[in-house]
Amino acid sequence: MTQCNRIDVLRRLARRAIPAGITLAAILAASTAARADELIVNNSNAGAVSVFDAASGATIDTALISGFAHARGLALSGQDLYVVDSLSATLGEYNVSSGAPISAPLVSTGSYGEPEAVAVSGSNYYVSGYGNSFLNGYGPSGLTFNDTTSAAEGNWALAISGNTLYVGEATTFSGAGHDVIATYNATTGALINPDLVTGLSWPEGMTIVGNNLYVVNNADYTDNGEPSGSVGLYNALTGQPINASLVTGLYQPTGIAVNGNDLYVVSDPNAPLSQFPSNTSGVIGEYNATTGATINASLVTGLNDPQGLVYLPTPEPATWMMLVVGAAGLMAVAARRKRGSV
């Protein structure tokens, strides 16, 4: 193909891809504005996974996924969203954009007990729960382990960093300050440190950012709705507190997500009044991830027993749009060459 023919082909491609009067910059702006950063939360008593704008708190989708008996933990890996349903004792995998099931149920915990938390690393996933205090690991390469030896009443929170699995272990009615974060080998399930972080009160949410470990203290269950929940910040390697009272005065917080310097926490003032309260008092609050200062304590309101939280960044422009950008760039280069050679 001659240089002139190549130029004609590129021009035709660009004309077909970009309608007359619409600039490339306008298309790119529209593609990125179409979807904002999102907060995804289990609206447990509504039986649904709900989606909100992370900046404004506006509702995007009240029921991205629905039909759960009592959804609890959430985990995100790429475009795959993992949802734990404690009453049906299952873990399901869904497309985070459409809510379409990929594998639901992906696994059933059966007689182990009620699953409460999930963590994902690559193609391996982990489930822990309440009842028989179990911790299970699964993977396509044969990774499978089960630990039911913990003295805790429930393993309510999971996080993973590298090959280290962090487990929040709580004992019912133990009193404040008696619970811990334990660490395990994520490949074998071997216990690494039974007491990496101590002095906790019902740890029910965790996330790791670099060497920072953020832990949600749901608070002693006998507090019966007092604002005694908190978020603590610890060194993820040593377990030493950086600020054990980073955020305080929370009502029964259950989930946490961090993006940059923004810390998001789900909580519910009426959560302990019954096992599965029917109310719409749940909130997502936004805080400074370094200082704990309140940014917006009621960023999202009206949630019904919220459980678990993940942050979904704005997706990159679609592949076809990137091809249009490339074609337009090539057309411009070819046009410059034409002026010198045709």
Side-chain angles (χ1 to χ4, degrees):
M1 182 183 292
T2 67
Q3 182 73 16
C4 290
N5 286 339
R6 282 195 294 269
I7 293 168
D8 289 338
V9 169
L10 288 170
R11 283 174 174 164
R12 286 196 297 270
L13 285 172
R15 281 197 297 269
R16 291 175 183 174
I18 307 176
I22 299 178
T23 66
L24 190 61
I27 294 176
L28 284 174
S31 70
T32 55
R35 185 169 175 178
D37 288 7
E38 297 173 354
L39 293 170
I40 303 175
V41 62
N42 277 329
N43 220 359
S44 293
N45 275 359
V49 174
S50 303
V51 185
F52 302 91
D53 186 297
S56 67
T59 301
I60 295 174
D61 193 337
T62 57
L64 174 68
I65 313 167
S66 59
F68 297 105
H70 193 67
R72 298 283 295 188
L74 284 174
L76 182 66
S77 179
Q79 289 294 300
D80 295 339
L81 182 67
Y82 295 80
V83 186
V84 161
D85 191 334
S86 64
L87 290 189
S88 65
T90 58
L91 168 68
E93 181 183 6
Y94 305 83
N95 181 281
V96 73
S97 298
S98 67
I102 297 172
S103 182
L106 177 64
V107 74
S108 175
T109 60
S111 61
Y112 291 128
E114 297 179 6
E116 300 290 341
V118 56
V120 181
S121 178
S123 55
N124 297 327
Y125 48 95
Y126 308 83
V127 181
S128 67
Y130 168 76
N132 292 331
S133 188
F134 67 92
L135 170 62
N136 292 347
Y138 309 88
S141 60
L143 167 69
T144 177
F145 62 78
N146 169 247
D147 170 50
T148 58
T149 62
S150 171
E153 175 67 22
N155 295 326
W156 294 79
L158 289 176
I160 190 165
S161 178
N163 200 45
T164 302
L165 185 63
Y166 295 73
V167 182
E169 300 183 346
T171 302
T172 301
F173 304 124
S174 63
H178 291 181
D179 301 322
V180 303
I181 303 297
T183 53
Y184 294 79
N185 183 297
T187 302
T188 66
L191 180 64
I192 297 172
N193 187 340
D195 301 303
L196 178 72
V197 179
T198 59
L200 301 176
S201 300
W202 206 275
E204 200 165 334
M206 283 190 292
T207 191
I208 300 173
V209 180
N211 287 333
N212 290 331
L213 171 64
Y214 295 86
V215 180
V216 168
N217 277 291
N218 185 266
D220 179 12
Y221 224 64
T222 60
D223 284 347
N224 200 31
E226 296 299 321
S228 53
S230 65
V231 176
L233 175 59
Y234 303 85
N235 184 295
L237 301 179
T238 66
Q240 291 300 306
I242 297 171
N243 186 346
S245 302
L246 180 68
V247 181
T248 58
L250 301 175
Y251 289 90
Q252 301 293 308
T254 57
I256 187 171
V258 176
N259 179 66
N261 207 38
D262 292 323
L263 168 68
Y264 302 89
V265 186
V266 292
S267 58
D268 190 346
N270 292 327
L273 299 183
S274 63
Q275 186 179 6
F276 303 124
S278 180
N279 62 76
T280 54
S281 61
V283 301
I284 301 177
E286 182 181 5
Y287 305 87
N288 185 292
T290 302
T291 66
T294 301
I295 298 173
N296 186 347
S298 301
L299 177 67
V300 176
T301 60
L303 299 176
N304 196 335
D305 191 21
Q307 303 284 339
L309 184 67
V310 296
Y311 187 98
L312 178 64
T314 303
E316 295 296 325
T319 301
W320 72 268
M321 181 58 64
M322 298 307 293
L323 291 175
V324 170
V325 173
L330 287 172
M331 185 178 71
V333 171
R336 288 196 295 270
R337 289 179 178 173
K338 178 185 177 183
R339 287 194 293 270
S341 58
V342 178

